[in-house]
């Protein structure tokens, strides 16, 4: 299993990060992608991924929730880091729009999102996209961009999924699929298996029955199990397909 989105640099993993990563390996997790969220997180992510070559892969980006009054200074640092470390990166992310918590910097969020999409196109890197309560604007901006990538932690309608598929993008599927009353399995009826990747969004969104606990990549097996029911196939088929998809999208060996 490949975890295409885990915030391994977060405090939640600080007490036992090394042991935790070793445990994932034992449980069949073959790679992890760590997205960046702001200027402060750049060095920590690069250092962490350098310690696990061929296992932990870095993305760098500017998360919409971190776009505040100092966004221009932060963007300058992040853009420089992305350019200087291009060869080490497998993606630009996590980027996107988030109107759920705060829309004070809505315009700046859109500007930063567009700049990162342009940079991804220029440097030929896939993007990891975050969208919360901003589907219309996210899709509108993406349609004007020319990027490949994934809508991470997807939990939308069939109509939204279809637009994403039409743009050639992938859907990141995580613990939300296992939540009670989740409609995502209905949406997946129109999503080919070739276009989904597994993710945790750890430390958040642990699958049922671990909801509320710290999420770890090995728990993706519960998501794979649910996907096997949805696609009416074996868990091995889901794992093989999502591994191949993640490798193709992010250029992993
Ligand atoms: Zn995330």
């Amino acid at each position: 299993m490949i975890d295409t989105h885990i915030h391994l640099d977060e405090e939640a993993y600080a007490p036992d990060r090394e042991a935790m990563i070793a445990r994932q390996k034992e449980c069949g997790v073959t790679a992890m992608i760590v997205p960046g969220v702001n200027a402060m997180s750049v060095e920590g992510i690069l250092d962490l991924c350098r310690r696990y070559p061929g296992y932990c892969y870095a993305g760098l980006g500017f998360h919409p929730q971190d776009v505040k009054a100092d966004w221009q200074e932060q963007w300058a640092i992040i853009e420089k880091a992305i350019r200087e470390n291009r060869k080490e990166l497998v993606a630009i992310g996590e980027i996107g729009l988030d109107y759920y918590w705060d829309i004070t910097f809505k315009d700046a969020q859109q500007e930063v999102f567009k700049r990162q999409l342009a940079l991804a196109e220029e440097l030929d890197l896939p993007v990891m996209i975050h969208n919360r309560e901003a589907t219309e604007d996210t899709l509108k901006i993406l349609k004007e961009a020319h990027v490949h990538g994934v809508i991470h932690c997807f939990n939308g309608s069939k109509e939204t999924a279809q637009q994403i598929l039409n743009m050639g993008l992938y859907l990141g599927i995580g613990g939300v699929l296992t939540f009670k009353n989740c409609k995502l399995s209905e949406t997946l009826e129109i999503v080919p298996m070739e276009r989904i990747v597994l993710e945790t969004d750890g430390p958040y969104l642990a699958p049922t029955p671990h909801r509320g606990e710290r999420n770890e990549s090995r728990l993706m097996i519960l998501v794979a199990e649910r996907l096997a029911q949805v696609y009416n196939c074996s868990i091995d088929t889901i794992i093989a397909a999502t591994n191949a998809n993640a490798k193709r999208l992010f250029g992993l060996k």
Side-chain angles (χ1 to χ4, degrees):
M1 295 185 290
I2 296 175
D3 187 348
T4 59
H5 195 112
I6 177 164
H7 298 277
L8 260 189
D9 58 318
E10 287 217 6
E11 267 309 297
Y13 298 117
D16 62 340
R17 194 176 283 114
E18 267 180 50
M20 182 276 211
I21 293 171
R23 190 159 63 239
Q24 310 315 304
K25 281 187 189 172
E26 283 164 21
C27 296
V29 176
T30 51
M32 298 165 158
I33 299 177
V34 188
V37 293
N38 56 33
M40 286 77 77
S41 66
V42 167
E43 289 309 320
I45 288 169
L46 291 173
D47 285 350
L48 177 64
C49 292
R50 279 171 194 148
R51 269 184 276 138
Y52 298 92
Y55 194 72
C56 295
Y57 295 91
L60 289 179
F62 201 172
H63 191 293
Q65 257 177 270
D66 287 83
V67 174
K68 304 283 182 208
D70 67 343
W71 70 270
Q72 302 202 41
E73 290 93 299
Q74 284 211 59
W75 169 241
I77 294 167
I78 295 165
E79 184 189 7
K80 188 165 176 274
I82 292 172
R83 289 186 183 280
E84 285 177 359
N85 299 286
R86 163 68 184 89
K87 287 204 174 79
E88 282 178 62
L89 303 181
V90 297
I92 291 185
E94 161 170 10
I95 69 176
L97 300 175
D98 192 319
Y99 299 163
Y100 180 76
W101 296 107
D102 187 2
I103 52 164
T104 316
F105 296 99
K106 192 174 169 179
D107 292 345
Q109 281 191 26
Q110 294 188 13
E111 177 62 25
V112 167
F113 186 28
K114 288 176 189 168
R115 288 187 193 186
Q116 295 185 97
L117 291 170
L119 188 59
E121 192 186 344
E122 182 196 327
L123 301 179
D124 192 26
L125 277 167
V127 288
M128 296 189 276
I129 298 154
H130 169 104
N131 159 39
R132 195 163 184 196
E133 305 281 326
T135 303
E136 205 186 316
D137 285 349
T138 302
L139 293 176
K140 202 173 122 215
I141 290 171
L142 278 172
K143 275 174 195 155
E144 289 157 12
H146 305 92
V147 291
H148 49 300
V150 57
I151 306 290
H152 117 81
C153 199
F154 180 77
N155 186 21
S157 65
K158 279 186 184 173
E159 292 69 30
T160 303
Q162 193 56 59
Q163 293 189 59
I164 292 165
L165 293 172
N166 291 347
M167 288 189 272
L169 300 168
Y170 290 71
L171 304 180
I173 307 297
V176 171
L177 180 67
T178 68
F179 294 178
K180 214 178 151 194
N181 302 324
C182 176
K183 299 265 192 290
L184 182 54
S185 56
E186 289 168 30
T187 296
L188 289 174
E189 286 168 11
I190 63 143
V191 179
M193 203 191 294
E194 291 68 37
R195 297 289 281 282
I196 57 170
V197 291
L198 290 176
E199 66 162 74
T200 54
D201 200 22
Y204 313 104
L205 298 173
T208 305
H210 298 280
R211 242 185 128 164
E213 295 171 22
R214 182 180 78 171
N215 204 354
E216 296 186 6
S217 306
R218 64 191 168 88
L219 298 177
M220 290 188 305
I221 193 73
L222 297 164
V223 179
E225 224 173 77
R226 184 76 189 94
L227 281 169
Q229 291 169 357
V230 172
Y231 285 94
N232 194 21
C233 64
S234 69
I235 297 176
D236 285 348
T237 302
I238 293 293
I239 292 173
T242 53
N243 279 349
N245 298 345
K247 286 181 182 176
R248 191 188 320 123
L249 176 57
F250 294 106
L252 310 183
K253 295 278 156 5

